[in-house]
Amino acid sequence: MKTSAWNALDSHRLATQNLRLADEFAHDEHRAQKFSIEAAGIFIDYSKNLITAETMRLLLELARERGVTQRLDLMLAGERINVSEHRAVLHMALRNPAGSVRRYLLDGIDVGDEVQRVLAHMRKFTQQVRDGTWQGGTGREIADIVNIGIGGSDLGPQMVCEALREFAHPRLTMHFVSNVDGAALERVLSKVSTETTLFIVASKTFTTQETLTNATSARDWFLANGGREADVAKHFVAVSTNAVEVAKFGIDTANMFEFWDWVGGRYSLWSAIGLSIALANGMDGFEELLAGAHFMDEHFATAPLDANMPVLLALVGVWNVNFCGASSQCVAPYAQDLHRLPAFLQQLEMESNGKSVDRDGNVLAAPSCPVIWGEPGTNGQHAFFQLLHQGTSVIPVDFIAAVHCNGKLPDHHRLLLANCIAQSEALMLGKSEAQVHTELRAQGLNATEIYALTPHKFFAGNRPSNTILLDKLTPKSLGALIALYEQKTFVQGVIWGVNSFDQWGVELGKQLAKTIDAELKVGIVSEAHDGSTKALMRRVIS
Ligand code: F6P
């Protein structure tokens, strides 16, 4: 992994460790323009990172050495780059419009026809539900839609439905149930009626324990509360790659929306997994979302590395993690409607790049994915931003905002943006001891008081951030934003040398949970467990 560009970056970091961002801005009035980029309707200012032109030159050299362009070409060509699962990675084909000059082939066959076929199926169904011609067993229109799924079969659709709330059908209320904790399902079921509810059972594999448990309980509830067996088909549809398991569960495969093994779970909101999005926003809205993502894909696939938004975002992240020592990355959307974006990005980035070995199974020589976390601003400011400003760890922040608001309270929006901009300025500038002294003196404090208070009021500053601006939060801009992060994740995976498309790390816990659940069910604790596990199980059983 430690190629010559990597070693050059190590030396460069040493040489620039005293770089002060405030000084860099003072000396270069064009710094903000130099380190900004606009593409696919998105603007990013990455100038508030500890970078110089030389840093970017070396990072781009690293991208070349690590073969970012070549790996992208393999992905675009439908090669099975997910080597441990022997799968192609073609989620970009899901948003490639019909008639596009770009074609995505798998084993020589254009997957576009299949994609368009399922989109047409989704269009027909969603139109019927939205215009009321799809009715429940008692002839009433659908009013509530419950998506039952977890991970990629939940986070993406939920995040998008929340983000596009302003554009949603007024009659339809969306609900998302993912947790196997019965409280999640009960909470939703207590609010809906069997006559007017449509359940979408969304699972790529259709073997996920949480989803099948929730779906079974939802069907039991339906039948126990006036729903007839003959009407299950009107109230339960499935989204899956696994028709056999869908049929076994008892859902008519005519009511199944399919997708394919070349769509990773966390990259699946663009497939039929996005059915809830299409129901809420209409197929036209869904296709706008796809169009925004396609816009970003084309930029990513064609722009040179040094003018390529996902590449630059990825490289700045690599700089922060591998050369400046950041072990976590905060995402702060200054948009309440994007409140599920940090959770979505957690799965996208951490499930993709949270790996310790490279594609060939060799142990990595340097850290890979940082911990991704965050909350919407301004809420975060009154919670964890204290640590971002004055804590012992330096944590880079992605500030995300829309310049124009969708809502009817423009004064709120101005205040929101003021806070967003102020936070990145504060993180970068900090507050010197001299400034603190002047402030405290002006407040009339004496020298002893000033001396005691100064360390508490001092901000080191020089803390890195990106500011990502959309013009407005729309299906199209949201599509571009999500694709930006997907492609950033891809580029970082290439730099770190990992397979970004498998997730073996989630399997062990699933296996052990099955064994433990079987033992809890019969009340017998196997001696094979360790002392702590046995004691916990006995406590649960008693
Ligand atoms: O357990 C992890 C995972 O496999 C994710 O990658 C996936 O998004 C999620 O579970 C749900 O899987 P499925 O859609 O097959 O139910």
Side-chain angles (χ1 to χ4, degrees):
M1 190 188 229
K2 298 218 166 173
T3 56
S4 65
W6 191 286
N7 293 333
L9 279 158
D10 267 336
S11 313
H12 174 70
R13 170 61 184 158
L14 270 181
T16 57
Q17 61 186 344
N18 295 325
L19 179 141
R20 294 289 309 172
L21 284 171
D23 296 341
E24 296 297 310
F25 277 103
H27 296 145
D28 181 359
E29 56 176 320
H30 301 298
R31 180 177 170 88
Q33 289 72 33
K34 267 189 205 155
F35 299 124
S36 296
I37 180 167
E38 195 155 10
I42 294 182
F43 172 81
I44 305 188
D45 175 348
Y46 57 97
S47 64
K48 291 194 185 91
N49 284 283
L50 297 165
I51 54 170
T52 64
E54 178 64 0
T55 319
M56 295 314 295
R57 190 188 70 73
L58 290 171
L59 286 167
L60 286 159
E61 193 48 38
L62 178 67
R64 283 183 207 102
E65 272 186 8
R66 302 296 297 159
V68 167
T69 308
Q70 290 78 357
R71 298 295 307 171
L72 169 60
D73 287 345
L74 292 177
M75 177 161 72
L76 290 168
E79 294 291 328
R80 288 179 165 73
I81 60 169
N82 176 358
V83 281
S84 70
E85 296 181 316
H86 198 57
R87 285 179 184 160
V89 175
L90 284 171
H91 50 272
M92 279 189 279
L94 299 168
R95 50 230 195 183
N96 194 37
S100 165
V101 285
R102 189 177 291 286
R103 295 173 68 212
Y104 289 90
L105 305 179
L106 181 65
D107 299 328
I109 296 168
D110 192 332
V111 299
D113 296 342
E114 280 288 282
V115 169
Q116 293 305 322
R117 186 178 58 73
V118 175
L119 285 173
H121 187 193
M122 289 171 69
R123 181 171 283 279
K124 186 168 168 223
F125 175 70
T126 54
Q127 251 165 14
Q128 288 175 337
V129 173
R130 287 166 62 85
D131 68 19
T133 51
W134 181 286
Q135 292 165 350
T138 57
R140 291 183 58 191
E141 293 178 343
I142 298 299
D144 290 281
I145 293 167
V146 183
N147 187 88
I148 298 179
I150 197 164
S153 300
D154 166 76
L155 287 164
Q158 189 188 13
M159 181 271 285
V160 173
C161 284
E162 291 286 312
L164 300 180
R165 176 187 58 89
E166 290 278 344
F167 304 85
H169 193 295
R171 194 188 70 240
L172 300 173
T173 305
M174 314 306 294
H175 309 268
F176 290 84
V177 174
S178 54
N179 201 331
V180 76
D181 181 347
L185 184 64
E186 281 170 6
R187 189 187 282 251
V188 170
L189 295 183
S190 69
K191 291 190 222 147
V192 301
S193 146
T194 50
E195 291 185 83
T196 53
T197 302
L198 175 74
F199 293 91
I200 304 173
V201 186
S203 174
K204 178 178 171 181
T205 54
F206 229 78
T207 57
T208 304
Q209 220 180 22
E210 292 92 330
T211 300
L212 293 187
T213 304
N214 277 323
T216 305
S217 297
R219 195 179 47 191
D220 291 349
W221 168 86
F222 177 78
L223 295 173
N225 288 278
R228 294 176 309 161
E229 188 73 53
D231 295 330
V232 167
K234 292 177 184 156
H235 293 272
F236 284 81
V237 298
V239 181
S240 188
T241 59
N242 192 343
V244 174
E245 288 298 325
V246 169
K248 254 197 230 164
F249 180 81
I251 293 181
D252 185 346
T253 47
N255 294 331
M256 166 177 155
F257 298 82
E258 29 175 336
F259 64 115
W260 309 272
D261 76 352
W262 42 262
V263 182
R266 53 195 172 274
Y267 300 87
S268 65
L269 71 89
W270 322 98
S271 71
I273 286 289
L275 191 64
S276 51
I277 303 171
L279 283 161
N281 297 280
M283 234 8 229
D284 291 346
F286 186 64
E287 287 185 352
E288 279 284 294
L289 183 81
L290 301 184
H294 177 66
F295 198 6
M296 182 58 76
D297 289 346
E298 283 305 300
H299 162 75
F300 179 51
T302 56
L305 292 182
D306 63 354
N308 194 310
M309 184 178 271
V311 171
L312 295 174
L313 189 62
L315 291 177
V316 168
V318 166
W319 172 248
N320 286 330
V321 169
N322 295 110
F323 302 96
C324 303
S327 58
S328 96
Q329 165 75 55
C330 177
V331 180
Y334 275 66
Q336 188 58 36
D337 288 338
L338 287 175
H339 72 112
R340 293 298 289 162
L341 184 68
F344 170 79
L345 294 180
Q346 273 176 343
Q347 188 198 13
L348 174 63
E349 300 198 32
M350 292 164 76
E351 201 170 52
S352 296
N353 290 336
K355 316 277 164 72
S356 306
V357 295
D358 68 14
R359 289 189 297 272
D360 300 321
N362 304 307
V363 174
L364 298 183
S368 58
C369 189
V371 174
I372 308 289
W373 61 285
E375 276 289 320
T378 57
N379 296 1
Q381 288 172 212
H382 299 273
F384 56 80
F385 269 54
Q386 162 64 40
L387 183 148
L388 297 181
H389 287 289
Q390 289 186 316
T392 47
S393 307
V394 173
I395 299 174
V397 185
D398 277 2
F399 292 97
I400 303 171
V403 174
H404 299 106
C405 69
N406 290 328
K408 297 178 193 70
L409 299 168
D411 288 352
H412 287 234
H413 198 69
R414 194 197 57 245
L415 195 54
L416 178 73
L417 292 179
N419 274 279
C420 176
I421 296 168
Q423 287 301 321
S424 70
E425 188 178 38
L427 284 167
M428 189 272 282
L429 283 184
K431 192 185 272 184
S432 67
E433 289 186 346
Q435 285 171 301
V436 176
H437 288 175
T438 312
E439 264 182 28
L440 295 181
R441 227 176 284 123
Q443 287 167 21
L445 270 68
N446 65 36
T448 315
E449 289 165 331
I450 292 174
Y451 179 76
L453 262 183
T454 298
H456 301 283
K457 296 206 155 218
F458 165 76
F459 289 67
N462 226 24
R463 302 203 164 195
S465 68
N466 296 308
T467 300
I468 302 179
L469 294 179
L470 317 179
D471 181 44
K472 221 173 179 204
L473 185 56
T474 62
K476 195 164 183 186
S477 66
L478 180 63
L481 179 71
I482 302 167
L484 165 67
Y485 274 99
E486 285 184 355
Q487 307 297 18
K488 169 209 158 180
T489 302
F490 171 79
V491 174
Q492 292 192 329
V494 175
I495 304 276
W496 292 321
V498 301
N499 176 1
S500 301
F501 302 103
D502 61 10
Q503 57 286 317
W504 297 107
V506 300
E507 292 305 320
L508 178 58
K510 286 187 196 172
Q511 280 169 6
L512 296 185
K514 266 193 196 148
T515 310
I516 291 176
D517 186 46
E519 292 175 26
L520 292 182
K521 199 170 173 186
V522 293
I524 297 170
V525 178
S526 157
E527 282 305 316
H529 298 290
D530 62 89
S532 161
T533 306
K534 280 191 286 202
L536 290 170
M537 289 174 69
R538 288 192 183 116
R539 190 168 274 266
V540 168
I541 287 168
S542 63

